[in-house]
């Protein structure tokens, strides 16, 4: 069985999970954090090199402040709580997105965990936070334009490789497998450039119900796909 080198996940359905149980939405997010832990562990056991999880989109800032506040508190707790687990399991933490949008205390916790785990060599867990695929592309274009204006690059030298090096994901290969939970058939502004040839697996399972077995199933389905990359 081929294990995908990079798995990306749109972790959706926390709110529905909570509603089904008559619980506040934040309870769904709390349970969703448990799924992140389980799936990260499974990735590390199976030898997946990179796991990118969509935890918060720039559009999610449009939600009621009570929910975004709760999510930021949860995020900070998650990072602090997970740090010893990440260390114990030799996992490396990274993040993509407009991280400056996050509360300062979240940024500090994130920076500390990223620094502390920088030398770890098992799976790299990449949190997409205040992330937008379009914003990432615009940031890259802006960077390239500035370099061209300063005479540091020749506009004619801009190709896919150079562009890629201006994305937040410059250090990672493109995802091989994209998983979306809760049945929605859309990208919701996730990794627009990077998902060009990624295999997509959508499950009706809600994110808080998604576990190691579900990950194994997604990888088994991935193994049945024939990736042609436009060729014959
Ligand atoms: C995904 O769950 C988590 C975030 C977007 C932060 P949702 O909160 O979108 O849950 P549903 O889609 O309302 O069920
Ligand atoms: C996508 O889920 C974003 C994250 C999982 C963080 P959403 O719930 O925000 O997406 P839409 O609104 O259904 O497209
Ligand atoms: Mg949703």
């Amino acid at each position: 069985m081929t294990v995908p080198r990079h798995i990306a996940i749109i972790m959706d359905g926390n709110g529905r999970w909570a509603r089904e149980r008559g619980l506040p939405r934040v309870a769904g997010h709390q349970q969703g954090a448990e799924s992140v832990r389980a799936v990260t562990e499974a990735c590390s056991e199976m030898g997946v090199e990179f796991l990118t999880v969509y935890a918060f989109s720039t559009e999610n800032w449009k939600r009621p402040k009570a929910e975004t506040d709760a999510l930021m508190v949860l995020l900070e707790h998650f990072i602090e709580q997970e740090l010893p687990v990440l260390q114990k399991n030799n996992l490396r933490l990274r993040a993509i997105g407009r991280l400056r949008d996050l509360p300062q205390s979240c940024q500090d916790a994130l920076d500390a965990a990223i620094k502390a785990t920088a030398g770890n060599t098992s799976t790299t867990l990449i949190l997409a936070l205040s992330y937008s695929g379009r914003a990432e592309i615009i940031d890259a274009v802006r960077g390239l334009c500035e370099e061209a204006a300063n005479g540091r690059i020749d506009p004619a030298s801009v190709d896919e490789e150079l562009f890629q090096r201006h994305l937040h994901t410059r250090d990672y290969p493109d995802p091989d497998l994209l998983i979306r939970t809760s049945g929605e058939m859309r990208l919701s502004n996730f990794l627009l450039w990077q998902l060009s040839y990624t295999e997509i697996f959508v499950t009706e399972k809600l994110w808080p119900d998604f576990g190691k077995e579900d990950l194994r199933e997604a990888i088994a389905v991935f193994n049945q796909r024939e990736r042609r990359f436009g060729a014959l």
Side-chain angles (χ1 to χ4, degrees):
M1 194 166 77
T2 309
V3 174
R5 191 165 172 222
H6 185 174
I7 298 179
I9 307 183
I10 301 174
M11 312 185 289
D12 201 12
N14 294 351
R16 278 162 276 183
W17 184 92
R19 196 179 56 210
E20 280 177 2
R21 286 160 180 76
L23 297 168
R25 290 179 57 86
V26 64
H29 297 313
Q30 265 158 359
Q31 198 57 40
E34 299 298 322
S35 297
V36 176
R37 181 175 301 131
V39 167
T40 307
E41 201 175 288
C43 281
S44 156
E45 286 163 9
M46 295 174 87
V48 175
E49 279 179 70
F50 302 94
L51 170 66
T52 301
V53 294
Y54 203 6
F56 194 86
S57 72
T58 51
E59 289 76 20
N60 289 148
W61 289 114
K62 293 186 229 162
R63 295 186 181 193
K65 190 169 180 303
E67 178 162 348
T68 60
D69 282 352
L71 277 164
M72 292 304 134
V73 169
L74 190 67
L75 172 66
E76 194 178 326
H77 285 172
F78 176 79
I79 295 165
E80 283 165 358
Q81 249 177 33
E82 282 311 286
L83 185 53
V85 182
L86 295 168
Q87 293 293 38
K88 184 171 134 270
N89 295 329
N90 194 22
L91 300 162
R92 191 162 68 128
L93 186 73
R94 303 295 295 272
I96 56 171
R98 290 207 166 144
L99 306 177
R100 281 157 305 166
D101 295 351
L102 304 175
Q104 191 58 50
S105 57
C106 261
Q107 291 184 47
D108 294 345
L110 194 58
D111 285 345
I114 289 171
K115 281 205 187 80
T117 61
N120 292 350
T121 54
S122 185
T123 306
T124 299
L125 171 64
I126 304 155
L127 303 178
L129 297 167
S130 196
Y131 177 85
S132 149
R134 285 188 175 177
E136 180 188 34
I137 289 170
I138 292 297
D139 287 347
V141 170
R142 204 178 284 150
L144 285 163
C145 288
E146 276 167 18
E147 288 174 37
N150 297 336
R152 276 186 284 147
I153 58 160
D154 173 1
S157 72
V158 177
D159 58 8
E160 291 187 11
E161 169 57 30
L162 184 62
F163 183 78
Q164 195 283 132
R165 278 194 265 132
H166 286 73
L167 294 172
H168 301 171
T169 52
R170 62 182 73 87
D171 298 331
Y172 322 119
D174 288 341
D176 303 291
L177 171 63
L178 171 73
I179 298 171
R180 182 164 187 149
T181 56
S182 309
E184 242 75 68
M185 299 283 185
R186 53 177 173 257
L187 293 179
S188 302
N189 209 359
F190 191 40
L191 300 174
L192 297 180
W193 170 274
Q194 298 87 342
L195 295 173
S196 293
Y197 270 101
T198 303
E199 295 297 326
I200 301 174
F201 175 87
V202 176
T203 170
E204 291 297 325
K205 275 238 174 137
L206 305 176
W207 177 248
D209 290 328
F210 191 92
K212 289 188 180 193
E213 273 316 307
D214 301 294
L215 184 78
R216 286 199 190 91
E217 186 205 336
I219 293 175
V221 169
F222 169 80
N223 270 265
Q224 288 156 12
R225 302 277 178 86
E226 187 196 346
R227 301 185 78 188
R228 286 191 292 271
F229 299 98
L232 293 181

